[in-house]
Amino acid sequence: MLAKSGTPHTIGEKLILPCVKEVIETVMCQSSTSGLSTIPLSNDTVQRRIDEMGDDVESQLIQISSRTDHALQIDESTVRDNEALLMGYV
């Protein structure tokens, strides 16, 4: 969700965690310090998780494509300003 928002990843620590703490304290009438302080939402952690998800998707695609037959279709076209565009479909 942090990655999809298009905002800096630091928003997790600065906005999301304080909001969740407030909701838990208000709605559940419980102290939120015990569980929420263990949730890592630092910029580095979020970026690492995004990179790990991307690597996982790439490895899954490689595994799937190496086990199946596929065809390749390549097409070249021209877009505005005479810029060439090469498209490949698998």
Side-chain angles (χ1 to χ4, degrees), residues 17-26 28-40:
L17 273 180
C19 289
V20 171
K21 287 179 183 180
E22 184 71 26
V23 168
I24 288 175
E25 291 172 358
T26 303
M28 301 178 77
C29 299
Q30 295 180 354
S31 175
S32 63
T33 57
S34 60
L36 291 178
S37 61
T38 61
I39 299 175

Side-chain angles (χ1 to χ4, degrees), residues 74-80 82-89:
I74 297 176
D75 183 35
E76 181 182 1
S77 63
T78 305
V79 293
R80 291 180 285 172
N82 288 331
E83 188 174 319
L85 178 67
L86 180 65
M87 296 183 294
Y89 300 95

Side-chain angles (χ1 to χ4, degrees), residues 33-63:
T33 57
S34 60
L36 291 178
S37 61
T38 61
I39 299 175
L41 284 180
S42 69
N43 186 37
D44 294 337
T45 302
V46 173
Q47 184 62 48
R48 188 184 77 246
R49 288 180 179 175
I50 292 170
D51 292 340
E52 288 172 356
M53 287 189 285
D55 292 341
D56 182 54
V57 169
E58 182 180 357
S59 70
Q60 288 181 35
L61 284 173
I62 290 171
Q63 288 177 358

